[in-house]
Amino acid sequence: MEMHEVTPEERRRFYSEEWNKRELPDFILHTLSLREFGFDLDGTGPSHRYNQFMTVEQLAEYLQNRAPYSAFTSVALYEQPSMRKGWMKSELAFDIDAKDLPLRSCSCASGSVCELCIDEARRIAMEFAETMGKDLGLHNINFVYSGRGFHIRVIDDAIMTLEQTERAQIVEYITGGVIPTDVTMALGYSQVFRERLARTFEGMDEQRLSKIRGLRRSVIQKLMVEKERALGAIRSGKLDELSELEGIGPKTFRQLLEFLVRLNSEFTDGKVTIDTKRILRLPSSLHSGVSMKCMLVRDIGRFKLEDAVPKFVHERGH
């Protein structure tokens, strides 16, 4: 599926003929007047900020009249959204962008996406949400297809008033971004860390491992030959078995581990999660860069990219 930039006329058609207020998620609809809205009117960035809409009809009128290149809304709720004052609370948001995944099995050019890497982003989103539910007891977890990936927007009361430091700790936990003191513990963070580490190592090949400074080619080849054994050691928490492979001493093992952990943390943009005043693409709006609808995904396990294709795309060339 090719993803082309929309024309101004296609934007106007989308917002006048296709945009539907019923596609706004309830968690936005019910807090509409407390959110800041931002717009990119011409593709140069969301410079039109500090907008407030008291009703969905006001929002609809703006979208239909201006047909913005992109539309955004805040993860935060404010007493005065038009001035971004009186912060009340913020969603816990994760941005999983397919073009920025540290490991992709597709051959997309840098900055581009395809159905394959978008599906990989979908699986990462499911993985993160499962951990949030199972380990952190969060349940009000919403998925949004963003055009090039997925946003996870969590609105449990327990997390909406967290400060940046606490949000950063959640990012580290969910991504496996910190080496635990004890990797052998059966449950909790140690288990999450092993799962993330195994997923990342499984995506390694000789070319990717060659980016680790000082890692000899013979060691890289050994790791690839012993990949299944290494994965078994990671999943069972017996990481010391890796350092016992021929040519891999404690120093090399530490370099490998730190490299994999850094990749773990790059599966989401941590800056988005800790930023309590971030704006994200508005579900129901158009991603003009790729001609796709940003949309609430009610069943992430069954999401199909075709669901997000606007009607005007099917009519191109007819």
Side-chain angles (χ1 to χ4, degrees):
M1 182 182 295
E2 294 187 21
M3 299 182 179
H4 299 293
E5 186 175 24
V6 302
T7 65
E9 176 57 30
E10 287 172 334
R11 292 194 336 243
R12 286 190 287 271
R13 280 189 59 193
F14 175 81
Y15 283 110
S16 63
E17 300 174 11
E18 191 170 346
W19 184 84
N20 192 325
K21 65 182 181 182
R22 286 191 290 273
E23 294 184 11
L24 285 168
D26 286 346
F27 69 87
I28 289 178
L29 197 59
H30 295 162
T31 55
L32 190 80
S33 64
L34 301 176
R35 294 180 185 266
E36 177 204 2
F37 285 79
F39 300 96
D40 175 356
L41 298 179
D42 55 11
T44 58
S47 55
H48 292 259
R49 300 284 300 267
Y50 299 95
N51 297 281
Q52 180 182 15
F53 299 100
M54 302 307 294
T55 66
V56 70
E57 287 74 25
Q58 288 179 349
L59 172 62
E61 183 180 8
Y62 184 98
L63 292 172
Q64 288 162 2
N65 289 339
R66 305 300 294 270
Y69 190 87
S70 303
F72 304 84
T73 187
S74 63
V75 298
L77 307 183
Y78 301 97
E79 293 173 0
Q80 296 175 279
S82 60
M83 301 175 69
R84 217 187 303 168
K85 289 185 177 180
W87 180 85
M88 300 164 66
K89 54 186 178 180
S90 295
E91 303 165 20
L92 181 72
F94 291 81
D95 180 14
I96 303 155
D97 196 324
K99 68 178 172 55
D100 297 325
L101 293 178
L103 299 174
R104 300 197 292 179
S105 57
C106 61
S107 54
C108 280
S110 177
S112 299
V113 297
C114 67
E115 292 180 72
L116 183 58
C117 58
I118 286 175
D119 192 61
E120 289 172 343
R122 180 187 66 85
R123 283 186 271 118
I124 295 295
M126 291 177 66
E127 186 180 277
F128 286 179
E130 182 182 10
T131 299
M132 282 190 273
K134 185 174 67 174
D135 287 29
L136 305 185
L138 301 174
H139 302 292
N140 206 333
I141 300 172
N142 301 276
F143 299 96
V144 174
Y145 170 63
S146 64
R148 286 196 174 104
F150 294 87
H151 295 153
I152 305 174
R153 303 179 68 158
V154 187
I155 57 174
D156 289 68
D157 288 337
I159 52 84
M160 289 192 71
T161 54
L162 294 181
E163 300 292 338
Q164 289 190 342
T165 301
E166 296 162 312
R167 291 168 187 258
Q169 291 171 347
I170 292 177
V171 174
E172 291 175 344
Y173 190 103
I174 297 301
T175 61
V178 175
I179 302 171
T181 306
D182 183 353
V183 298
T184 64
M185 293 181 67
L187 300 174
Y189 178 64
S190 293
Q191 181 186 30
V192 173
F193 177 78
R194 293 194 303 271
E195 290 172 354
R196 303 294 187 263
L197 198 69
R199 179 248 288 145
T200 300
F201 183 72
E202 194 167 16
M204 289 288 104
D205 55 24
E206 289 191 23
Q207 182 182 1
R208 286 165 175 150
L209 285 174
S210 67
K211 295 178 182 178
I212 304 176
R213 182 178 296 179
L215 197 62
R216 298 194 306 275
R217 182 171 177 79
S218 60
V219 174
I220 292 172
Q221 292 173 336
K222 181 72 173 177
L223 282 169
M224 290 298 95
V225 169
E226 300 281 0
K227 193 171 187 179
E228 288 305 315
R229 178 185 167 190
L231 281 169
I234 291 170
R235 291 185 177 118
S236 62
K238 299 175 181 177
L239 298 188
D240 53 338
E241 291 186 8
L242 287 179
S243 62
E244 293 169 2
L245 289 174
E246 185 180 345
I248 303 179
K251 183 179 178 181
T252 301
F253 169 69
R254 188 72 187 184
Q255 288 175 315
L256 171 64
L257 193 58
E258 289 175 351
F259 176 75
L260 295 174
V261 168
R262 188 169 71 252
L263 290 182
N264 278 356
S265 66
E266 292 174 3
F267 278 92
T268 187
D269 184 348
K271 296 189 297 295
V272 171
T273 307
I274 67 172
D275 186 355
T276 57
K277 297 186 177 181
R278 178 71 57 155
I279 56 173
L280 294 177
R281 290 186 181 274
L282 174 67
S284 77
S285 69
L286 183 66
H287 190 309
S288 295
V290 292
S291 297
M292 301 294 277
K293 287 193 295 184
C294 302
M295 59 179 288
L296 180 70
V297 179
R298 300 188 186 281
D299 187 345
I300 189 73
R302 296 185 177 183
F303 173 78
K304 293 182 175 58
L305 205 54
E306 294 79 19
D307 299 338
V309 178
K311 293 176 184 176
F312 68 77
V313 171
H314 296 296
E315 298 168 5
R316 282 174 175 165
H318 289 193

